[in-house]
Amino acid sequence: MTQSNGEDPQKSRGGLHQMRAGIQSRSRLARKRVASITKDDVKGFFIRNAFVIFTVAAVIIGTILGFSLRSYKMTVREMKFFAFPGELLMRMLQMLVLPLLVSSLISGMAALDSRASGKMGIRAVIYYTTTTIIAVIIGIVMVLIIHPGKGSKDEFTKQQKIEQISPVDAFLDLIRNMFPPNLVEACTKQFKTQYVKKVVHVQMKVNETIFTLNGSQDLTQEMMIPMPGSVNGINALGLVVFSIGFGLIIGNMREQGQPLKDFFDCLSEAIMRLVAIIMWYAPIGILFLCAGKILEMDDIKTMGGQLGMYVVTVICGLFIHAIFVLPTLFFIITRKNPFVFIAGLLQALVTALGTSSSSATLPITFKCLEENNKVDKRVTRFVLPVGATINMDGTALYEAVAAIFIAQVNDYDLNFGQILTISITATAASIGAAGIPQAGLVTMIIVLSSAGLPTDDVSLIVAVDWFLDRLRTTTNVLGDSLGAGIVEHLSRHELQNKDPEVGNSVVEEADKKPYQLIGQENEYENERPADSETKM
């Protein structure tokens, strides 16, 4: 007993010596690396990371340029001319979204058998649901602690008219859009219920006697009649549902479906090469997008204290979710350094910040994940298009904060049931928010209606929505990308056991590397997801 007790201090001292020796050897190795850096190494680093450096510089220069030009008081026409290069970038990226979404989903689903795709789909849905619920909880906790709506509603002088929509009709429109009757029309339009005023003539009978008003037997009543309508924009949800089903069928057809599979594989690869060309223009477009938005925004000095605290609340919630929650979840599941993974996504995140559209950022997210982080193409082709359509962590958090903020501004005391309703509705409504700029404002009306809050008060937060929209889009893209890494890690056995021919084709495509976005010397260069060793 005493012997064992005497051995414990020796073991602990030995462990400390080993730890100290390890730290010293690593520090010596680091000093050697720093000492051996040459001009060619520095030059090579800048060449490999040119895209990221240019994109980050574009955001910084665009912000400075925007604020410095505000003093010139440009007209609306001059602002439009100034922001034209940024508009071109948005149009280029949106041009590629439709063929990339369809081809990547179909080729990704065709490369997996139904069992593997089913498991992968379940894992992706569980991840999406979990992170969205966590985001909503963070938003509710932050808004209840900070209480940004404390004060008077009088400071909100300028309000805009917001289109009203029934929550039931919005939910039914979501389901209708999942099954578009015309696929060609789904490429350009989404179904949306429109409301038409109709005057109805009625007769009232009292004790079998026709009731008259001002000598007239007919009483008129105005009613809002729901009518089928449409709005411009890609029906991404309907195309995702069709592409998943179509891809699974092609995969099950084996040899018969091979020509179609080869076609969509080739189309996906061709689109990615187009993306590689557009990437060179991206920093210029992002610069003018940022500068143009800063020129268009209202004077910050006129922003009231309540609105300012609301912005701080949303930013704090998004920061906690993006910097702490998502990376921690990634590390717990994969046992890999999440920040090395995020470093490979830097250009996609900056592009999301500039464009405020997760769908427009989709082509760049594909390239970052497949080339920098070496995520299997069969995973990215399935997880990313679905995630860009239905996974909206940042939007869910923002809607929960905004709903409770509006209740606080109106001095409403929300009970636990109403807060629970807001959390559930915000989670569900974020799925219906298409990956387009400011779609969250439309779904906000659904959240407010569910809790019995005034829907007109959405106009209170419109002034700052353009800025918060960019931040929550960046959070959405980060959540989609980390989800792809997590799903790949959990599905590594199914991917390894899949048809060797399919696996080799994917590996061969990765080995060709006809284009390069960012070269990274990290753990993903030489390792595959099968290694579960911690790299912190």
Side-chain angles (χ1 to χ4, degrees):
M1 191 74 181
T2 55
Q3 187 178 1
S4 64
N5 289 338
E7 286 176 358
D8 287 339
Q10 292 178 0
K11 287 182 179 178
S12 63
R13 280 197 296 271
L16 286 172
H17 284 310
Q18 286 179 355
M19 189 181 296
R20 193 179 303 148
I23 293 171
Q24 288 174 352
S25 66
R26 287 182 183 179
S27 62
R28 282 196 300 269
L29 186 62
R31 281 197 296 270
K32 283 181 182 178
R33 284 181 179 176
V34 172
S36 63
I37 291 175
T38 62
K39 287 184 178 179
D40 291 335
D41 293 331
V42 176
K43 185 180 177 182
F45 172 81
F46 280 107
I47 290 172
R48 287 195 306 271
N49 296 279
F51 277 124
V52 173
I53 294 168
F54 288 153
T55 309
V56 173
V59 172
I60 297 169
I61 295 169
T63 305
I64 296 170
L65 186 64
F67 279 112
S68 60
L69 291 176
R70 281 178 66 85
S71 58
Y72 289 93
K73 306 291 182 185
M74 288 186 181
T75 63
V76 175
R77 190 175 184 81
E78 289 170 342
M79 287 181 191
K80 291 292 182 186
F81 287 151
F82 181 79
F84 182 70
E87 183 188 348
L88 279 182
L89 175 66
M90 285 295 292
R91 295 175 75 90
M92 289 178 189
L93 292 173
Q94 288 168 347
M95 171 183 69
L96 300 179
V97 168
L98 175 63
L100 181 63
L101 186 145
V102 173
S103 64
S104 62
L105 253 181
I106 291 176
S107 61
M109 297 306 294
L112 297 166
D113 57 25
S114 56
R115 186 177 178 185
S117 60
K119 287 184 178 180
M120 195 182 293
I122 291 169
R123 287 167 185 145
V125 169
I126 291 173
Y127 168 80
Y128 295 153
T129 308
T130 304
T131 54
T132 305
I133 291 172
I134 291 172
V136 169
I137 293 171
I138 291 171
I140 290 173
V141 170
M142 293 301 297
V143 75
L144 292 177
I145 291 174
I146 298 176
H147 210 284
K150 187 178 181 181
S152 171
K153 194 178 177 181
D154 298 335
E155 71 174 53
F156 297 100
T157 53
K158 189 169 65 173
Q159 297 190 20
Q160 299 181 22
K161 184 68 177 173
I162 301 292
E163 182 186 359
Q164 297 298 312
I165 186 170
S166 165
V168 177
D169 288 332
F171 178 71
L172 293 177
D173 286 351
L174 181 66
I175 297 174
R176 289 186 186 109
N177 279 320
M178 289 174 68
F179 306 100
N182 188 332
L183 281 175
V184 177
E185 188 181 42
C187 298
T188 57
K189 290 184 178 180
Q190 300 178 30
F191 184 93
K192 185 182 178 185
T193 301
Q194 308 284 359
Y195 297 95
V196 179
K197 280 186 180 179
K198 189 175 181 181
V199 178
V200 182
H201 297 275
V202 295
Q203 286 185 341
M204 292 181 62
K205 287 187 177 182
V206 180
N207 297 329
E208 297 185 358
T209 304
I210 297 175
F211 181 80
T212 60
L213 182 67
N214 296 330
S216 173
Q217 294 182 352
D218 289 336
L219 304 178
T220 59
Q221 182 182 2
E222 277 192 358
M223 295 181 67
M224 298 296 290
I225 307 297
M227 301 287 288
S230 61
V231 290
N232 291 329
I234 298 173
N235 180 5
L237 196 59
L239 292 174
V240 162
V241 171
F242 170 78
S243 300
I244 289 174
F246 195 64
L248 283 173
I249 295 297
I250 291 175
N252 289 331
M253 289 174 69
R254 302 291 180 181
E255 290 81 8
Q256 284 181 305
Q258 193 62 38
L260 267 178
K261 181 181 176 299
D262 292 340
F263 168 76
F264 284 109
D265 282 342
C266 187
L267 178 61
S268 180
E269 186 68 22
I271 296 298
M272 293 309 294
R273 298 197 184 204
L274 267 177
V275 172
I277 298 170
I278 291 174
M279 298 292 272
W280 288 103
Y281 179 72
I284 299 169
I286 288 171
L287 189 154
F288 285 97
L289 273 175
C290 293
K293 266 299 173 187
I294 290 171
L295 285 173
E296 291 174 13
M297 73 179 185
D298 297 328
D299 190 358
I300 300 174
K301 295 175 185 176
T302 61
M303 186 190 295
Q306 289 172 291
L307 203 55
M309 289 305 295
Y310 163 72
V311 172
V312 170
T313 305
V314 176
I315 291 174
C316 289
L318 293 174
F319 181 82
I320 291 170
H321 188 69
I323 302 299
F324 295 104
V325 174
L326 292 177
T328 302
L329 198 62
F330 181 86
F331 173 72
I332 290 172
I333 295 173
T334 66
R335 295 294 173 181
K336 291 179 181 177
N337 189 340
F339 297 104
V340 172
F341 192 91
I342 292 171
L345 300 169
L346 197 54
Q347 191 175 20
L349 299 178
V350 175
T351 305
L353 186 67
T355 61
S356 77
S357 171
S358 52
S359 293
T361 312
L362 190 60
I364 297 170
T365 313
F366 266 107
K367 288 184 67 62
C368 289
L369 277 176
E370 291 175 2
E371 293 190 10
N372 303 337
N373 292 338
K374 302 294 182 286
V375 178
D376 195 306
K377 287 188 177 184
R378 291 170 289 177
V379 176
T380 57
R381 288 172 180 178
F382 171 66
V383 174
L384 284 184
V386 176
T389 308
I390 67 172
N391 184 36
M392 303 281 177
D393 296 352
T395 304
L397 187 150
Y398 153 83
E399 288 177 349
V401 171
I404 298 177
F405 168 73
I406 288 171
Q408 292 172 352
V409 167
N410 287 282
D411 205 19
Y412 289 170
D413 289 326
L414 297 176
N415 56 38
F416 177 76
Q418 286 174 306
I419 293 175
L420 186 64
T421 302
I422 288 172
S423 62
I424 294 171
T425 315
T427 304
S430 66
I431 297 171
I436 54 175
Q438 296 187 330
L441 276 179
V442 179
T443 54
M444 263 305 306
I445 297 171
I446 303 171
V447 179
L448 293 174
S449 300
S450 68
L453 297 171
T455 54
D456 287 339
D457 285 353
V458 172
S459 59
L460 304 180
I461 59 175
V462 169
V464 294
D465 186 71
W466 71 270
F467 173 66
L468 296 178
D469 190 23
R470 282 163 159 67
L471 297 180
R472 65 178 186 258
T473 300
T474 308
T475 307
N476 292 341
V477 171
L478 178 63
D480 295 343
S481 305
L482 288 174
I486 289 172
V487 170
E488 185 199 36
H489 179 80
L490 295 175
S491 307
R492 60 193 183 280
H493 299 302
E494 286 89 347
L495 294 170
Q496 288 171 356
N497 295 334
K498 184 70 183 79
D499 186 358
E501 187 179 338
V502 174
N504 290 337
S505 67
V506 174
V507 174
E508 284 168 10
E509 286 179 10
D511 290 341
K512 287 178 188 174
K513 295 200 70 170
Y515 39 74
Q516 182 168 353
L517 177 60
I518 312 166
Q520 275 195 308
E521 296 177 5
N522 55 33
E523 56 183 305
Y524 301 98
E525 290 286 340
N526 302 316
E527 298 182 39
R528 295 309 299 159
D531 186 6
S532 60
E533 185 182 346
T534 306
K535 303 288 188 304
M536 291 297 282

